[in-house]
Amino acid sequence: MAQQASGQGWTVEVTDQPLDIAKYTGLVTDPAAGAISSFIGTTRNNFQGKAVLRLEYEAYLPMAVAKLQELCQQLHSKWQITHVAMAHRTGVVDVCAASVVIAVSSPHRKASLEATHWAIDELKATVPIWKKEFFEDGSTWKENEESRRLLQQQLEGQQQQQQQQSQQ
């Protein structure tokens, strides 16, 4: 099952099919762009000394696609970029296979590099896609450090707000 959306300068997709990296870099290719930066997240064969057999991803598709759209819009407002394409797999993702692709084009390299770095961190922290790791001795759902960081920042912000209100 796949769900995708696109607009002026962006394309997003969440799919259970293998990700075609050339497709996403092709979507951001533009004569006005002097740089294309990409991030390709793949399944590695180990984690904390354990052999990883595969990953499985689940997503709440409508919300995941909407959140990816929102990230694309934020990228366009934060950096001078030409196009952005983001795709994430669901279902089984074997070792060495891509689970996420982000491609960003811009007139100059700095914007596309910074935007790509920001995009993967924000995607992992905010998009409702969950990862289950399968090891030789069992499996576990994985919490993203980025999600934990975002929740901590929100909690700290709420605490600061409460302190300010109590001082008034």
Side-chain angles (χ1 to χ4, degrees), residues 81-147:
I81 61 172
T82 311
H83 297 284
V84 60
M86 291 192 213
H88 205 296
R89 281 283 304 273
T90 56
V92 175
V93 182
D94 292 322
V95 171
C96 293
S99 53
V100 61
V101 174
I102 298 172
V104 178
S105 62
S106 64
H108 305 284
R109 69 181 175 269
K110 185 175 181 181
S112 66
L113 288 166
E114 289 177 356
T116 302
H117 184 211
W118 181 88
I120 188 59
D121 287 347
E122 290 300 309
L123 183 154
K124 291 183 76 163
T126 63
V127 178
I129 298 174
W130 303 277
K131 175 171 68 173
K132 190 173 189 178
E133 294 179 320
F134 286 82
F135 305 101
E136 291 175 339
D137 62 349
S139 64
T140 184
W141 286 100
K142 174 94 189 259
E143 177 187 27
N144 284 320
E145 289 182 32
E146 292 84 356
S147 295

Side-chain angles (χ1 to χ4, degrees), residues 19 39-47 51-57 88-89 91-100 131-135:
L19 300 178
F39 174 82
I40 303 157
T42 60
T43 302
R44 65 179 174 268
N45 67 358
N46 65 84
F47 180 72
V52 174
L53 304 175
R54 69 181 183 280
L55 301 177
E56 286 187 18
Y57 290 92
H88 205 296
R89 281 283 304 273
V92 175
V93 182
D94 292 322
V95 171
C96 293
S99 53
V100 61
K131 175 171 68 173
K132 190 173 189 178
E133 294 179 320
F134 286 82
F135 305 101

Side-chain angles (χ1 to χ4, degrees), residues 10 12-14 63-73 86-88 123 127 129:
W10 59 269
V12 299
E13 183 174 30
V14 179
M63 193 173 176
V65 169
K67 189 62 185 173
L68 289 171
Q69 289 175 14
E70 181 182 315
L71 293 179
C72 289
Q73 292 163 350
M86 291 192 213
H88 205 296
L123 183 154
V127 178
I129 298 174

